[in-house]
Amino acid sequence: MMNQLSSWQSYWLIRSNRFRKKRAIKKQLVMLSLDKTTAFYSLIVGGYVFASIFIFNDFMQQFDDYFLIIEQQMGERFWLILTLVPIRYVFQSFRNPGVLITSSEYQLGVLPHSIKKIAYYVAIEKWIMQLVRYVIIGTFIILITPIDAFLIWIYFLLFWTIEVLMTIPQWKLFQAHFMVKLVIFLSLLLVDIVGTIIHQSKLISIAILLTVLVSNFLLRKKLFSQIHWGRVTEVNNYLVWNMPLISRATKIKFRRERKYNIFQNMASRKRPFAYTNIAIHKRLWLQHFRENIEFIIQVIGGLFLAIVILPFVKDLIALFGIAISIHVYTLFAASMFRDRFHSGIVQVLPWDVKSFRNTMKHWSVLGFIPIMIPIIIYAIIQFSWWSISFLLLIITLFIMNLTAKMDNAEALLDKKITDFSLKGVVAFLSLFLIVLCEFQPYISLVSILLLAYIVFQNYNSKRKKHVG
Amino acid sequence: MNNLLIVKNLEVAIKENKLLDNISFTLSEGSVVALVGHNGAGKSTLMKTIMGIQEKNDGEIIIDEKYNQDTNYLDYKKKIAFIPEEPLLMSELTAMQHFQLYGKSYQMEEDELKRRIERYVEGFELQGKLNEYPESLSKGMRQKVQTICAMLPDVPLLLIDEPFMGLDIYAVDYFEEILREKVACGTSILLTTHQIKRVKDLADHFILLQEGEIIHKGKIAEFETIKRRREE
């Protein structure tokens, strides 16, 4: 008779096979991108750079003053940081249960193994791995910086303890209603802000720590009651198998299954659509944006931050940044547009591309607003009255670039591949007008011509549609 | 009879690995052709390539003599309805919303769409499930929803990957009935199947695929059997 595998052995079998599979995928990626000779020379160059920076020259010595400031801040702000760390886990609980039970681990619960036991193994493994990670990072920091070793270990011990203590609260919060999470998150933020203002961070941090301890104690018996396993495994499958580098190299995106969403239970969402393109496409766009929300936030947030920061570097660079951000954002909007047609059921349907484009138009404009805000502030500060024509220039260039890229996306969807789009090149080159405004602000008056061109184009296309 | 679908020297490859090689065949108006072959022979890849989901490396696919996949893709797509092997339903849409999406995509009139939904929903016994999300439906019901979706529009070409997969016997009979109706109205069907007996009365021709190549084609009455892999 065969011996049955223990729960630990079964879990370990899954873990080690997952590790092997991931390693094999990464190995394939390396083989695809590097041959042996390139890998060898890259290793030598990498080794040389590392040695020249950290060993032969005292490269890090020039940053000593900064490290001393960091050390001083670490000492002074210990209690404030202690209050902030738990908020991170509450924030994570919106999208991540914190305990990596994928559908494979969950399957073990269907076999003669207890899912509770498996969950404990997963949590303990996570704590051990995190401890190892902290020890490695801590040692590295101690080796290359002059920061007091004791302070570093205290910090990492603090991070690790909170990681352990927040495992249960995050797990239970993930199961809770969106509003519960939001209220807790905002309350913690508020308490933190108040604590900082009245200089009572120490008291607040002790109170938060005690609350976390009490919640651990109270929740310990309800760990596995009212758990939405479907959602847990859906999110964790994505977290485990979404490998951005691999996706980028193979151009195959790992899509989250997303069987559950907070709007699904709303009766209004279940009602049949008004039988119009607008009503149907609106839902399809919302679904598409929700599926790519991380990517959207990254791009818009990144461009927003770039425009906020660049004016502090140099005005010319800030204007370059604005021009590039228009190019990147419009490229991104066009790529989101095309991507809609290559996912889910839409890929097997006939595409009314024009109608889809019309229904996406206001979303593209809406997404540009966060980027436009720092541009407006910068323009007012930098150009005073000229800011009016400068902003008009930004808007017209945005419309021109968006139109050119969407035209191109439309052509690509119809497989009428255009490698060279004159309109696209002109729209791109005209972005340099933004940079030229640094030397002569009146260049922004070109925007009046551009506006006239856009109005003429719109009138033309409407007339064509009418005749058609 | 005119050729509705022309597939010429089709080649699909991923790097060095050829999934389809030198595939050529035609499908006349109102005919039903069964694509048969072992698992991994290239049947589903061929379906996806005709649909345009899978990129081809070489060859031509033309519908109705003027809709070329390479030059007129958006119009080409309007001529096809596809039933994939696994339902492609969206979690965010109810069954009814899926039907509306199909109706709008194929530019159907609302009244006609409603009439057809009513008829097919009754035939497939899906009453009371119209406002349900796919997750609340059984696998068979999801397959029925996907099948109804593709049956709603009148298109010249129907591509069906494993038509009877997951359907109960009553649904299979009903589906066959609709397919016969469609064929009588001039619709051509290309289907993949492992249930040769089931489609012998429906199909008039077969194409036998093996390792991405056509090794035999002819009238369905001439079709005998697929050899087991180890006998080859």
Side-chain angles (χ1 to χ4, degrees), chain B residues 18-33:
Chain B
K18 277 193 181 172
L19 303 180
L20 294 176
D21 191 14
N22 198 25
I23 302 284
S24 296
F25 66 92
T26 57
L27 189 64
S28 18
E29 268 175 32
S31 69
V32 182
V33 172

Side-chain angles (χ1 to χ4, degrees), chain A residues 145-393:
Chain A
T145 72
I147 300 173
D148 183 13
F150 179 72
L151 200 57
I152 288 169
W153 289 131
I154 285 285
Y155 261 95
F156 279 115
L157 186 66
L158 164 83
F159 291 156
W160 186 75
T161 312
I162 292 180
E163 173 101 30
V164 173
L165 289 177
M166 285 305 289
T167 305
I168 294 177
Q170 185 183 344
W171 169 255
K172 291 300 282 182
L173 266 178
F174 177 78
Q175 320 294 336
H177 193 272
F178 177 79
M179 287 311 288
V180 176
K181 288 182 253 201
L182 191 68
V183 167
I184 294 178
F185 177 68
L186 292 177
S187 311
L188 274 174
L189 268 184
L190 194 72
V191 166
D192 237 6
I193 293 166
V194 171
T196 315
I197 294 169
I198 61 169
H199 302 290
Q200 288 297 338
S201 291
K202 188 175 177 180
L203 190 73
I204 299 289
S205 64
I206 292 169
I208 289 177
L209 213 59
L210 280 175
T211 315
V212 171
L213 280 171
V214 171
S215 64
N216 268 282
F217 181 74
L218 293 176
L219 292 170
R220 77 190 193 285
K221 284 192 174 165
K222 296 175 189 164
L223 282 182
F224 299 100
S225 66
Q226 294 186 318
I227 299 298
H228 203 323
W229 289 106
R231 253 191 93 212
V232 170
T233 52
E234 174 202 311
V235 171
N236 284 331
N237 281 346
Y238 178 77
L239 291 173
V240 166
W241 291 110
N242 180 35
M243 298 156 84
L245 262 182
I246 310 284
S247 302
R248 229 160 273 169
T250 55
K251 289 179 185 159
I252 297 169
K253 205 172 158 193
F254 184 89
R255 287 181 192 277
R256 195 172 143 185
E257 276 177 71
R258 292 192 198 262
K259 290 179 186 159
Y260 308 93
N261 74 68
I262 53 169
F263 303 112
Q264 255 188 1
N265 294 325
M266 287 162 65
S268 60
R269 308 270 303 179
K270 286 186 164 188
R271 271 199 292 271
F273 294 123
Y275 194 58
T276 60
N277 275 338
I278 296 173
I280 297 172
H281 292 176
K282 185 184 168 192
R283 180 75 66 84
L284 293 178
W285 283 124
L286 285 174
Q287 183 264 340
H288 189 53
F289 297 145
R290 203 170 60 81
E291 201 165 272
N292 292 287
I293 189 72
E294 288 96 347
F295 191 32
I296 294 171
I297 292 174
Q298 273 171 21
V299 171
I300 298 178
L303 295 175
F304 171 85
L305 278 177
I307 297 170
V308 168
I309 293 165
L310 290 178
F312 293 100
V313 182
K314 208 175 177 186
D315 284 329
L316 191 69
I317 292 176
L319 292 171
F320 258 114
I322 292 172
I324 290 168
S325 65
I326 293 176
H327 173 67
V328 171
Y329 178 79
T330 49
L331 204 63
F332 165 70
S335 123
M336 283 292 287
F337 175 69
R338 272 182 62 201
D339 200 37
R340 166 67 283 181
F341 299 93
H342 298 299
S343 62
I345 203 167
V346 181
Q347 60 186 318
V348 299
L349 288 171
W351 304 327
D352 187 347
V353 176
K354 291 250 183 289
S355 169
F356 267 97
R357 183 171 165 178
N358 263 336
T359 50
M360 195 206 170
K361 207 186 274 173
H362 66 277
W363 295 104
S364 331
V365 175
L366 210 66
F368 192 63
I369 291 174
I371 300 166
M372 200 58 199
I373 293 169
I375 297 179
I376 294 172
I377 297 169
Y378 174 76
I380 294 169
I381 296 169
Q382 181 70 13
F383 297 112
S384 181
W385 283 105
W386 280 110
S387 63
I388 298 168
S389 57
F390 178 77
L391 288 173
L392 188 64
L393 179 71

Side-chain angles (χ1 to χ4, degrees), chain B residues 9-12 17-25 35-38 40-43 45-46 206-217 226 232:
Chain B
N9 307 322
L10 187 65
E11 188 190 299
V12 176
N17 185 18
K18 277 193 181 172
L19 303 180
L20 294 176
D21 191 14
N22 198 25
I23 302 284
S24 296
F25 66 92
L35 270 176
V36 287
H38 291 294
K43 305 187 293 290
T45 308
L46 178 54
F206 76 92
I207 294 172
L208 179 58
L209 279 177
Q210 188 181 295
E211 291 175 5
E213 287 178 49
I214 294 178
I215 55 164
H216 194 27
K217 56 184 173 185
I226 308 172
E232 286 158 15

Side-chain angles (χ1 to χ4, degrees), chain B residues 25-183:
Chain B
F25 66 92
T26 57
L27 189 64
S28 18
E29 268 175 32
S31 69
V32 182
V33 172
L35 270 176
V36 287
H38 291 294
N39 296 331
K43 305 187 293 290
S44 297
T45 308
L46 178 54
M47 286 288 197
K48 286 178 192 163
T49 313
I50 296 174
M51 219 25 242
I53 305 172
Q54 173 73 51
E55 286 286 325
K56 59 186 170 57
N57 299 60
D58 205 1
E60 254 189 327
I61 307 173
I62 302 162
I63 293 180
D64 227 356
E65 288 176 357
K66 53 184 172 191
Y67 301 104
N68 190 315
Q69 198 194 64
D70 296 326
T71 54
N72 212 349
Y73 187 55
L74 294 182
D75 289 325
Y76 167 94
K77 273 197 123 199
K78 288 179 190 159
K79 307 289 163 197
I80 315 173
F82 177 51
I83 305 180
E85 191 177 357
E86 287 290 328
L88 269 175
L89 306 176
M90 295 168 86
S91 302
E92 286 78 4
L93 304 188
T94 63
M96 181 62 182
Q97 289 168 342
H98 275 96
F99 300 150
Q100 289 182 302
L101 171 63
Y102 263 74
K104 207 69 202 165
S105 300
Y106 285 94
Q107 294 170 342
M108 292 175 69
E109 290 297 324
E110 192 174 9
D111 290 341
E112 184 56 31
L113 176 72
K114 276 184 184 163
R115 257 197 301 279
R116 291 189 187 186
I117 292 173
E118 210 171 295
R119 184 189 157 204
Y120 294 143
V121 164
E122 199 188 323
F124 279 109
E125 298 175 331
L126 273 180
Q127 297 99 324
K129 303 289 178 192
L130 284 182
N131 292 330
E132 297 291 336
Y133 288 112
E135 289 74 39
S136 325
L137 302 173
S138 68
K139 196 184 173 212
M141 282 181 184
R142 287 202 291 272
Q143 190 66 37
K144 286 178 182 178
V145 172
Q146 178 79 72
T147 306
I148 294 177
C149 282
M151 291 299 106
L152 289 170
D154 287 324
V155 285
L157 178 62
L158 259 174
L159 300 178
I160 314 176
D161 203 352
E162 289 296 339
F164 308 121
M165 187 77 92
L167 298 180
D168 58 53
I169 46 164
Y170 302 107
V172 168
D173 287 343
Y174 182 64
F175 187 25
E176 251 191 75
E177 189 188 313
I178 308 172
L179 289 179
R180 283 182 205 286
E181 246 176 58
K182 293 255 176 200
V183 173

